[in-house]
Amino acid sequence: MKYCDNILETIGNTPMVKLHRVTATLPCTVLAKVEFFNPGNSIKDRMAVKMVDVAEEKGLLKPGGTLIEGTSGNTGMGLALAAIIRGYKCIFTTTDKQSKEKVDILKAVGAEVIVCPTNVEPEDPRSYYSVSKRLATEVPNSFYVNQYDNLANRDAHYEQTGPEIWEQTEGKITHLVVATGTGGTVTGTGKYLKEKNPNIKVWAIDSYGSLLKKYFETGQLDMSEVYPYITEGIGEDFVPENYDMKVIDKFEKVTDKDAAVMARRITKEEGIFVGYSAGSAIAGLLQLKESLKPTDVVVVIFHDHGSRYVGKIYNDQWMMERGFLDVKTVKDVVNGRRNQPLVTISADEKVSEAIARMKKYDIEHIPVEQGGELIGAISENGLFNRLIDDANLKDALVQQVMQPLFPLVSQDTPIEKLSVYINRENGAVLTKDDSGNHHIVTKYDIIQALGR
């Protein structure tokens, strides 16, 4: 029989997948090291278990002890899996910018999670760094893992990730691209690969709001570089000890928006459900395409799984609220018609007059008004069915045959969402602009807008 003794034995040996569509503008071969095949769905499983192993070997972690760590989510997951198998407890601190899914997953695997504010200095007693350090001094029989300065982090990638990539590419790799945070992956993997071939380039992808790129280029800790950003799992407001900047050849910054949009593209166009940092990595690589040639073989680390971010980058509303999603809205449709006035008909006019108005303006739907208020609607399709049954109905009053008023939607409603309102029974919606004027949007308007 062939099986693993426990889940930790499934860590590593993750697949390499060639990318096609999102990298179509690049001249070279691009391979993704898909790390969410690890049991905790991220590359952090590798270093989490390594840090526990080393702590046990050094006698820093005693039986029944508690692992304490500040984490953006993925390292915590790896530590929690190790804790389950080895018999430890976990207390994790994280920031309020991390996705709810990450916090819920950590709780699901038995960890206690303390959420701390993001927008404070690392030394602030409220920061997730400071809270985790304090807990390590207060909780009996505990071990502060400290993934940022614990060199077992980078050792894990030197021993595992680097050799796997070298073997999978048969030594043909020319570039390693890593969206980097603690520095363990980029330093450990890069160090191993450069020992095999010093000509391999190691590119680190940073986020705007992080000071790592400026520190790499100048050696200065410039806190003016630091400001709140949304991208999760990469960038720092200090330099962890896991970094060996001599291993890295270039840093490139990527915006929150570009990273989020690219992550969604990777998922839709490559069929690989990736997390935020994968978007950063590919977006950064595309920004550096002028440095690449046809013979290059680029390996990009895809750190974690998209399920961690379904409430954020994979949520249209979340993306739109931050201006990350370029969607056409009801307002765009109305503006595209140059704000033509709404054609209405009075409730006490005849059906024949409604038919004539439809013909005159080449429209199928007319709101019905009475006393300056919209009270109902009349449509070509609805009239057709009624007139077939009773041709004399054309002499009836509109109020006798009108349908309910079309649904009223806000101007910022994405047109893709209008299918909830526009169907066989109802062919249009109404919206009101900032001046209080009503406008109608029909199936035809939507088809026209989507076709542009």
Side-chain angles (χ1 to χ4, degrees):
M1 296 186 293
K2 189 175 183 180
Y3 60 90
C4 297
D5 185 59
N6 62 65
I7 196 65
L8 302 184
E9 294 183 2
T10 68
I11 294 173
N13 297 308
T14 54
M16 196 91 79
V17 180
K18 184 178 180 180
L19 302 181
H20 297 273
R21 294 178 178 86
V22 297
T23 55
T25 59
L26 299 180
C28 55
T29 298
V30 181
L31 306 174
K33 181 71 166 157
V34 187
E35 285 293 302
F36 63 63
F37 278 86
N38 286 305
N41 294 141
S42 90
I43 196 170
K44 298 293 189 176
D45 290 357
R46 297 175 183 269
M47 51 80 112
V49 175
K50 177 68 176 179
M51 291 188 295
V52 170
D53 288 343
V54 171
E56 290 175 339
E57 291 167 6
K58 292 182 176 181
L60 301 174
L61 189 52
K62 304 292 195 302
T66 300
L67 296 168
I68 296 178
E69 179 63 337
T71 175
S72 61
N74 289 328
T75 299
M77 183 62 175
L79 289 171
L81 294 182
I84 290 169
I85 301 303
R86 306 280 179 85
Y88 303 119
K89 296 184 287 291
C90 295
I91 301 175
F92 299 136
T93 62
T94 191
T95 65
D96 53 16
K97 84 169 184 179
Q98 307 306 327
S99 65
K100 181 178 183 297
E101 289 80 11
K102 286 184 177 180
V103 174
D104 289 343
I105 289 170
L106 291 178
K107 291 179 179 178
V109 290
E112 179 184 344
V113 183
I114 300 170
V115 180
C116 304
T118 300
N119 302 330
V120 294
E121 300 292 333
E123 298 78 17
D124 190 297
R126 297 168 296 167
S127 77
Y128 81 119
Y129 309 109
S130 298
V131 173
S132 58
K133 289 178 182 178
R134 174 177 58 78
L135 288 171
T137 65
E138 298 174 352
V139 177
N141 190 21
S142 63
F143 171 63
Y144 176 45
V145 182
N146 189 11
Q147 61 179 309
Y148 305 94
D149 301 329
N150 187 331
L151 300 188
N153 177 348
R154 70 187 192 188
D155 290 345
H157 299 291
Y158 180 85
E159 296 169 3
Q160 302 171 31
T161 317
E164 285 180 28
I165 291 172
W166 182 258
E167 180 181 351
Q168 287 171 310
T169 62
E170 298 179 339
K172 295 184 176 71
I173 178 175
T174 61
H175 296 74
L176 174 70
V177 179
V178 183
T180 188
T182 68
T185 302
V186 70
T187 300
T189 309
K191 183 174 184 292
Y192 178 88
L193 293 173
K194 280 181 175 287
E195 287 179 1
K196 302 297 287 186
N197 178 2
N199 294 321
I200 292 173
K201 301 298 182 186
V202 176
W203 291 347
I205 307 303
D206 198 12
S207 182
Y208 285 95
S210 163
L211 54 67
L212 293 174
K213 183 176 188 290
K214 180 71 173 288
Y215 179 81
F216 169 78
E217 294 173 347
T218 68
Q220 298 177 350
L221 285 172
D222 186 355
M223 296 308 293
S224 67
E225 290 281 302
V226 178
Y227 56 83
Y229 57 96
I230 299 172
T231 306
E232 298 180 34
I234 73 170
E236 296 294 349
D237 50 7
F238 69 105
V239 181
E241 291 182 19
N242 269 293
Y243 277 98
D244 179 354
M245 294 297 181
K246 297 189 298 295
V247 172
I248 301 170
D249 297 287
K250 181 185 286 290
F251 260 88
E252 181 76 3
K253 284 193 174 186
V254 172
T255 66
D256 292 328
K257 177 181 179 179
D258 287 347
V261 171
M262 180 54 69
R264 289 167 64 110
R265 280 194 60 197
I266 295 167
T267 297
K268 286 187 176 181
E269 297 177 30
E270 303 288 349
I272 308 174
F273 193 21
V274 297
Y276 213 148
S277 62
S280 299
I282 294 297
L285 174 61
L286 292 175
Q287 290 172 194
L288 297 168
K289 65 181 178 181
E290 300 302 323
S291 302
L292 298 167
K293 56 186 185 297
T295 55
D296 288 333
V297 176
V298 180
V299 175
V300 183
I301 302 293
F302 281 2
H303 284 83
D304 64 355
H305 197 256
S307 58
R308 304 276 205 269
Y309 309 89
V310 292
K312 289 195 170 184
I313 61 174
Y314 292 107
N315 180 289
D316 288 354
Q317 188 64 38
W318 187 90
M319 291 285 286
M320 285 187 289
E321 287 171 356
R322 287 151 186 81
F324 291 177
L325 200 57
D326 296 324
V327 296
K328 292 180 178 178
T329 64
V330 169
K331 185 176 183 178
D332 296 324
V333 175
V334 172
N335 290 341
R337 294 194 311 232
R338 299 180 181 177
N339 292 323
Q340 295 171 352
L342 181 66
V343 176
T344 64
I345 191 161
S346 174
D348 55 13
E349 290 185 78
K350 290 184 178 182
V351 171
S352 58
E353 294 175 280
I355 295 171
R357 203 159 300 176
M358 288 179 180
K359 184 176 180 181
K360 177 181 178 181
Y361 293 103
D362 191 23
I363 56 178
E364 297 180 11
H365 309 279
I366 303 180
V368 178
E369 59 91 15
Q370 188 174 54
E373 297 291 328
L374 298 180
I375 62 168
I378 195 164
S379 69
E380 186 179 78
N381 187 55
L383 284 178
F384 175 81
N385 293 329
R386 298 287 295 274
L387 287 169
I388 288 293
D389 294 334
D390 182 4
N392 295 323
L393 203 63
K394 64 181 183 295
D395 295 322
L397 297 180
V398 167
Q399 61 186 331
Q400 295 175 272
V401 301
M402 69 180 185
Q403 304 161 259
L405 184 63
F406 302 124
L408 184 66
V409 300
S410 65
Q411 289 194 91
D412 60 0
T413 303
I415 57 177
E416 291 88 349
K417 302 293 185 184
L418 293 184
S419 60
V420 175
Y421 306 99
I422 297 180
N423 48 48
R424 177 179 290 182
E425 290 73 31
N426 180 67
V429 295
L430 291 171
T431 190
K432 188 183 291 187
D433 63 25
D434 296 334
S435 301
N437 299 312
H438 282 93
H439 302 272
I440 191 169
V441 175
T442 67
K443 289 180 183 179
Y444 179 76
D445 293 321
I446 295 171
I447 292 170
Q448 288 289 98
L450 292 174
R452 293 192 189 110

